[in-house]
């Protein structure tokens, strides 16, 4: 039998659409199972400073459709220190919180893993990031919404690109992961995606030119992942200006619009399923795991595995993009 009576809940790192749906699901599932929920504001920062209130079912009414996170989020340097994490632990003891559900990206889960092993504290992590860069889950909460925001923006840019017969480099988020760029390119019919996963192996611009890039078209769109490994959209635009001055080049950096907006049905359902499963896992005595989705089934992955491994890009996607961009 579980000894967990009170679950603490926080969102951390970059906000992602669907985090609220997950907050709602954890809260309601916990209360349904007779547990108390304590909402921790501003991620690990609020855990250290004790910014905590008990949530009832009505605290999460009318939020499933809202982007961002009602719990707020923060980057917290103190949590990277032993002393900061000790203070966080003292808060949990004081607040009589028996287990934590943390919703966030790679950094958040790394912090959770370190904290859990240092203080022997039960934690379940949910993947909440638009980057989709977490090993062990097909999709992260927020990724589908961000992808849809990207294709909506690219559709609009395409109108002006084709009217002026221009080459556009559109920079999308994703840090060192190319999922948004690659799948965004596929879904918007872009000519190519420049992604960090292969940035050090091939000169992707040379590849584009070699493949007859723009020969049969009056405009071109290339999605570039924001990573330092690719150099970003400006880097490629400068290169084209210098090396291929015949092209009329423009750059668009999509920026933070990719983070906002009402979550898609997919993200709402994913967040709801993962949130409910997080509570059930804790009741079942599981701890220090990430919950994800694999082949439409909820799966659990030990923190150590989820964090240590990089999630690979499927080469089939790269191939399809190349084939369809002739
Ligand atoms: P996103 O990928 O959307 O940006 P994220 O969760 O990866 O989200 P980070 O800023 O990397 O965002 O991490 C969030 C917080 O997690 C950090 O501000 C810090 O408090 C904590 N954290 C990250 N890495 C560590 C670490 N190595 N040790 C302890 N805590 C960490």
């Amino acid at each position: 039998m579980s000894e967990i009576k009170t679950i603490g809940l926080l969102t951390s790192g970059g906000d992602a659409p669907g985090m609220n749906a997950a907050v709602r699901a954890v809260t309601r599932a916990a209360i349904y199972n007779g547990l108390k929920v304590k909402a921790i504001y501003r991620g690990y920062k609020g855990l250290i400073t004790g910014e905590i209130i008990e949530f009832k079912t009505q605290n999460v009414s009318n939020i499933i459709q809202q982007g961002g996170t009602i719990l707020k989020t923060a980057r917290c340097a103190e949590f990277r220190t032993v002393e900061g994490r000790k203070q966080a632990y003292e808060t949990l003891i004081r607040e009589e919180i028996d287990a934590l559900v943390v919703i966030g990206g790679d950094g958040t889960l790394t912090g959770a893993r370190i904290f859990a092993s240092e203080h022997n504290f039960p934690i379940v992590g949910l993947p909440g990031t638009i980057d989709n860069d977490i090993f062990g889950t097909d999709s992260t909460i927020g990724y589908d919404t961000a992808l849809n925001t990207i294709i909506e923006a690219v559709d609009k840019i395409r109108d002006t690109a084709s009217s002026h017969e221009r080459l556009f480099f559109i920079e999308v988020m994703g840090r060192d992961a190319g999922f948004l760029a690659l799948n965004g390119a596929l879904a918007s019919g872009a000519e190519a995606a420049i992604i960090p996963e292969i940035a050090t192996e091939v000169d992707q611009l040379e590849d584009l030119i070699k493949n007859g890039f723009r020969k049969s078209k009056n405009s071109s769109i290339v999605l570039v992942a924001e990573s330092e490994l690719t150099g970003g959209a400006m880097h490629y635009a400068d290169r084209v200006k210098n090396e291929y001055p015949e092209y009329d080049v423009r750059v668009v950096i999509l920026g933070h619009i990719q983070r906002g907006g009402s979550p898609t049905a997919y993200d709402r359902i994913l967040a709801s399923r993962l949130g409910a499963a997080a509570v059930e896992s804790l009741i079942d005595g599981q701890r220090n795991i990430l919950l994800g989705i694999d082949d439409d089934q909820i799966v659990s992955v030990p923190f150590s595995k989820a964090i240590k491994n990089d999630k690979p890009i499927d080469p089939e996607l790269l191939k399809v993009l190349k084939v369809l961009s002739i």
Side-chain angles (χ1 to χ4, degrees):
M1 273 301 284
S2 148
E3 290 170 8
I4 292 170
K5 295 194 183 72
T6 303
I7 291 179
L9 170 63
L10 61 83
T11 51
S12 160
D15 63 308
M19 277 183 163
N20 281 328
V23 167
R24 171 180 177 271
V26 172
T27 303
R28 295 251 165 109
I31 293 170
Y32 178 89
N33 283 289
L35 306 180
K36 265 193 194 176
V37 180
K38 291 204 173 175
I40 300 153
Y41 281 80
R42 297 181 176 78
Y44 293 132
K45 199 168 162 210
L47 193 55
I48 291 173
T49 58
E51 241 189 301
I52 297 172
I53 62 166
E54 187 177 341
F55 260 19
K56 304 288 186 190
T57 58
Q58 58 272 25
N59 288 99
V60 294
S61 295
N62 203 19
I63 65 166
I64 195 169
Q65 79 284 14
Q66 289 176 29
T69 162
I70 62 160
L71 297 186
K72 312 292 181 193
T73 184
R75 316 251 182 211
C76 174
E78 285 151 283
F79 198 74
R80 293 175 185 270
T81 67
V82 173
E83 180 52 34
R85 292 192 294 272
K86 187 166 161 271
Q87 282 176 32
Y89 181 69
E90 283 161 7
T91 305
L92 290 170
I93 300 301
R94 198 172 53 245
E95 291 281 337
E96 298 182 338
I97 293 172
D98 308 308
L100 270 181
V101 176
V102 302
I103 308 166
D106 201 40
T108 299
L109 299 171
T110 303
R113 179 183 61 81
I114 294 168
F115 181 81
S117 63
E118 235 168 40
H119 295 284
N120 190 26
F121 200 84
I123 306 186
V124 169
L126 299 185
T129 168
I130 65 166
D131 301 342
N132 200 32
D133 58 348
I134 296 178
F135 181 88
T137 185
D138 288 343
S139 192
T140 55
I141 297 165
Y143 170 62
D144 184 66
T145 306
L147 207 46
N148 278 285
T149 302
I150 289 170
I151 64 172
E152 206 177 302
V154 175
D155 288 350
K156 288 180 177 156
I157 294 164
R158 183 187 287 284
D159 290 342
T160 178
S162 65
S163 301
H164 280 278
E165 304 186 78
R166 278 176 176 151
L167 161 59
F168 271 81
F169 285 101
I170 303 175
E171 187 173 296
V172 300
M173 285 184 166
R175 285 223 214 152
D176 289 337
F179 297 97
L180 285 172
L182 181 54
N183 283 312
L186 263 175
S188 62
E191 275 59 50
I194 294 178
I195 58 170
E197 286 83 350
I198 55 172
T200 52
E201 293 153 34
V202 275
D203 184 337
Q204 295 172 81
L205 184 62
E206 286 303 319
D207 252 20
L208 287 175
I209 305 288
K210 253 198 316 222
N211 289 334
F213 163 56
R214 207 168 179 243
K215 267 201 193 123
S216 60
K217 299 187 180 117
N218 67 1
S219 69
S220 284
I221 289 179
V222 177
L223 265 60
V224 185
E226 69 181 347
S227 163
E228 275 177 19
L229 291 170
T230 63
M234 287 303 268
H235 166 72
Y236 280 90
D238 287 344
R239 273 193 63 188
V240 171
K241 277 180 202 156
N242 289 327
E243 295 169 38
Y244 307 94
E246 63 274 26
Y247 294 132
D248 188 9
V249 190
R250 292 291 185 277
V251 169
V252 176
I253 295 173
L254 288 188
H256 284 78
I257 62 163
Q258 294 164 91
R259 286 263 184 85
S262 184
T264 57
Y266 181 87
D267 276 333
R268 295 182 198 196
I269 293 166
L270 178 65
S272 299
R273 290 178 68 190
L274 291 176
V279 173
E280 276 163 26
S281 301
L282 284 170
I283 292 171
D284 286 349
Q286 294 187 60
R287 47 177 67 197
N288 309 339
I289 50 163
L290 166 82
L291 292 183
I293 189 103
D294 180 8
D295 203 13
D296 204 34
Q297 299 299 311
I298 305 285
V299 290
S300 73
V301 188
F303 274 156
S304 52
K305 206 169 163 197
I307 289 150
K308 212 166 59 199
N309 292 299
D310 282 339
K311 183 165 159 183
I313 284 279
D314 185 347
E316 187 233 353
L317 297 175
L318 278 169
K319 187 167 172 229
V320 174
L321 181 61
K322 193 168 169 178
V323 168
L324 301 185
S325 65
I326 55 169

